[in-house]
C-alpha cells in the first residue's frame, strides 16, 4: 500500500473557511495521496505562522503575500472576495472617520487586510491590535473608541449596539472599481507543481461538494463563528464562499495586483512579487465516499 503524505491545512475558526473544507475534513471527498491534518487559528496567528512557514496550506490576509511569496504560491480556490463589501469600521459614539483621528481603534491583527484598509483611509487613528472577536466588547466597555470588524462580526455587530462608521471594503471597491480580495489560500511551493495542482483540485472539489449540499454543510459549520445564536452563518457563507472562491476570476486577479502594489507603496514589502497562481488540474470527478442527506 502506498504511504500517504501528511498535509497540514490551516484555516480560520469561521464558517466560510470551514465550509471550504467540510467535505475533505469529514471524509466525504478524498484527497488521493495525502492525509490532511486540519488546524484552526485566528487570522493574525495564521499570518504569523505563514511568515514562519509552519503549514503546507493556509489562509492568509492578502496583504501579507509579498512577504511569503518565495515560499508560497496562491491557490486558485478559497479566495475571500468582497464585492462591494469587506472589513467594517464600527463605533458606538463616532459616526465619521475624520472624528477618529488620534482615537483608539481596534484592529484584528497587524498586519491584516482590515488593518491595511484602516491605515489607508484613516491613517491618524491610534491602532490597537486585538483578537477579532474581542473588539466589539472592548468598544462597549469603553476601552476602544472604534474597531474594525471581520469574519462573522461583519454581520453581528448591530446586535451588540454598534453602528457602522464606514464599510472600508466598500470604500476600496468604489475607489478602484474592483472587488476586494480580502484573504487568500496559499500553498507551500516545495510540495512541487504536480502536488500543488492536485491539492488545489481537491480543495475545489470539497468546496463544490459543499455548495451542492449546502444544507448539510451549513448544519455542520454553524458551530463556527458566532454559532447558532448569531443567526448569520448562511448569509456570511454566501458572502465569502461562492463562485469567486471556487475559481479566482479575472477581475479579482486584477484587484489583487492593485492591492499588492499598494502594499509595496506603503512600505510593507520592498518589491512587488510575481503572482504564481495554482489553477488546479481538472481530473475525473472524484465521487463522494458516501451519500449525504
Amino acid at each position: 500500500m502506498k504511504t500517504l503524505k501528511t498535509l497540514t491545512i490551516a484555516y480560520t475558526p469561521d464558517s466560510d473557511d470551514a465550509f471550504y473544507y467540510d467535505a475533505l475534513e469529514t471524509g466525504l471527498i478524498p484527497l488521493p495521496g495525502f492525509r490532511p491534518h486540519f488546524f484552526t487559528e485566528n487570522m493574525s496567528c495564521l499570518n504569523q505562522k505563514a511568515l514562519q512557514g509552519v503549514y503546507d496550506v493556509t489562509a492568509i490576509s492578502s496583504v501579507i503575500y509579498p512577504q511569503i511569496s518565495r515560499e508560497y504560491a496562491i491557490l486558485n480556490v478559497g479566495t475571500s472576495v468582497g464585492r462591494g463589501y469587506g472589513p467594517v469600521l464600527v463605533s458606538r459614539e463616532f459616526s465619521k472617520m475624520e472624528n477618529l483621528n488620534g482615537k483608539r481603534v481596534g484592529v484584528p491583527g497587524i498586519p491584516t487586510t482590515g488593518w491595511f484598509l484602516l491605515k489607508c483611509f484613516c491613517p491618524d487613528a491610534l491602532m490597537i491590535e486585538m483578537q477579532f472577536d474581542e473588539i466589539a466588547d472592548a468598544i462597549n466597555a469603553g476601552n476602544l473608541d472604534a474597531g474594525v470588524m471581520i469574519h462573522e462580526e461583519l454581520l453581528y455587530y448591530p446586535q451588540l449596539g454598534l453602528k457602522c462608521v464606514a464599510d472600508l471594503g466598500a470604500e476600496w471597491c468604489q475607489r478602484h472599481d474592483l472587488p476586494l480580495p480580502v484573504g487568500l489560500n496559499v500553498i507551500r511551493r516545495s510540495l512541487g507543481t504536480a502536488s500543488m495542482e492536485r491539492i488545489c483540485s481537491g480543495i475545489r472539489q470539497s468546496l463544490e461538494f459543499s455548495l451542492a449540499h449546502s444544507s448539510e454543510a451549513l448544519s455542520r459549520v454553524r458551530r463556527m463563528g458566532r454559532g447558532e445564536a448569531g443567526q448569520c452563518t448562511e448569509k456570511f457563507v454566501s458572502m465569502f464562499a461562492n463562485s469567486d472562491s471556487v475559481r479566482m476570476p479575472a477581475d479579482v486577479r486584477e484587484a489583487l495586483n492593485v492591492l499588492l502594489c499598494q502594499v509595496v507603496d506603503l512600505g510593507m514589502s520592498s518589491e512587488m512579487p510575481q503572482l504564481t497562481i495554482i489553477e488546479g488540474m481538472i481530473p475525473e470527478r472524484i465521487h463522494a465516499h458516501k451519500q449525504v442527506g
Side-chain angles (χ1 to χ4, degrees):
M1 181 180 293
K2 186 176 181 180
T3 302
L4 299 178
K5 180 178 175 59
T6 298
L7 183 75
T8 55
I9 298 176
Y11 61 88
T12 66
D14 221 54
S15 52
D16 60 331
D17 278 12
F19 191 83
Y20 298 154
Y21 291 112
D22 180 68
L24 278 174
E25 198 161 6
T26 57
L28 294 167
I29 290 290
L31 190 55
F34 296 94
R35 181 184 292 109
H37 289 257
F38 295 90
F39 302 84
T40 57
E41 300 188 60
N42 68 51
M43 184 58 80
S44 180
C45 289
L46 291 182
N47 286 341
Q48 292 304 315
K49 290 193 175 181
L51 292 169
Q52 298 163 18
V54 172
Y55 297 116
D56 296 319
V57 175
T58 184
I60 63 163
S61 298
S62 297
V63 296
I64 77 155
Y65 184 69
Q67 298 175 63
I68 65 169
S69 60
R70 292 186 180 181
E71 289 77 31
Y72 287 94
I74 299 168
L75 288 172
N76 181 23
V77 61
T79 309
S80 295
V81 179
R83 288 193 176 271
Y85 50 84
V88 175
L89 178 62
V90 306
S91 179
R92 178 175 286 277
E93 179 181 355
F94 298 96
S95 59
K96 296 181 179 179
M97 279 196 285
E98 52 263 36
N99 298 142
L100 292 173
N101 292 340
K103 301 297 184 183
R104 301 161 300 172
V105 181
V107 293
I110 299 174
T112 54
T113 303
W115 163 82
F116 171 81
L117 293 172
L118 182 67
K119 194 168 180 64
C120 287
F121 300 138
C122 193
D124 294 324
L126 177 61
M127 300 177 198
I128 299 174
E129 185 175 16
M130 294 187 69
Q131 188 165 310
F132 78 95
D133 56 357
E134 296 178 353
I135 292 175
D137 289 341
I139 297 171
N140 280 324
N143 298 323
L144 294 174
D145 299 299
V148 177
M149 301 288 100
I150 62 170
H151 300 323
E152 287 190 10
E153 305 298 279
L154 288 174
L155 301 177
Y156 191 75
Y157 72 84
Q159 298 185 49
L160 300 174
L162 301 176
K163 298 178 182 179
C164 177
V165 177
D167 186 325
L168 302 175
E171 182 69 23
W172 193 93
C173 292
Q174 183 176 6
R175 291 191 184 194
H176 299 285
D177 194 26
L178 288 167
L180 173 66
V182 181
L184 300 171
N185 245 5
V186 298
I187 186 167
R188 194 190 306 278
R189 292 179 184 271
S190 61
L191 288 165
T193 300
S195 289
M196 289 193 293
E197 294 283 354
R198 190 160 66 249
I199 293 163
C200 182
S201 178
I203 297 171
R204 176 175 294 120
Q205 289 179 58
S206 178
L207 174 53
E208 288 177 332
F209 192 85
S210 289
L211 290 168
H213 304 87
S214 60
S215 295
E216 295 88 347
L218 286 169
S219 70
R220 288 187 288 270
V221 305
R222 281 194 179 96
R223 72 189 188 281
M224 312 296 279
R226 282 288 178 172
E228 293 275 2
Q231 298 184 339
C232 51
T233 300
E234 187 168 356
K235 182 176 180 180
F236 182 76
V237 168
S238 71
M239 291 168 66
F240 292 106
N242 49 41
S243 59
D244 285 333
S245 311
V246 174
R247 284 185 175 82
M248 189 189 298
D251 61 346
V252 174
R253 296 175 191 233
E254 179 184 355
L256 185 58
N257 273 288
V258 171
L259 181 68
L260 296 186
C261 282
Q262 293 176 335
V263 166
V264 173
D265 290 343
L266 195 64
M268 289 175 60
S269 175
S270 59
E271 60 182 3
M272 178 68 181
Q274 182 175 358
L275 301 186
T276 303
I277 299 178
I278 305 302
E279 304 294 347
M281 56 187 180
I282 306 174
E284 292 183 24
R285 174 67 58 185
I286 296 176
H287 297 289
H289 279 176
K290 53 187 175 182
Q291 283 297 113
V292 175

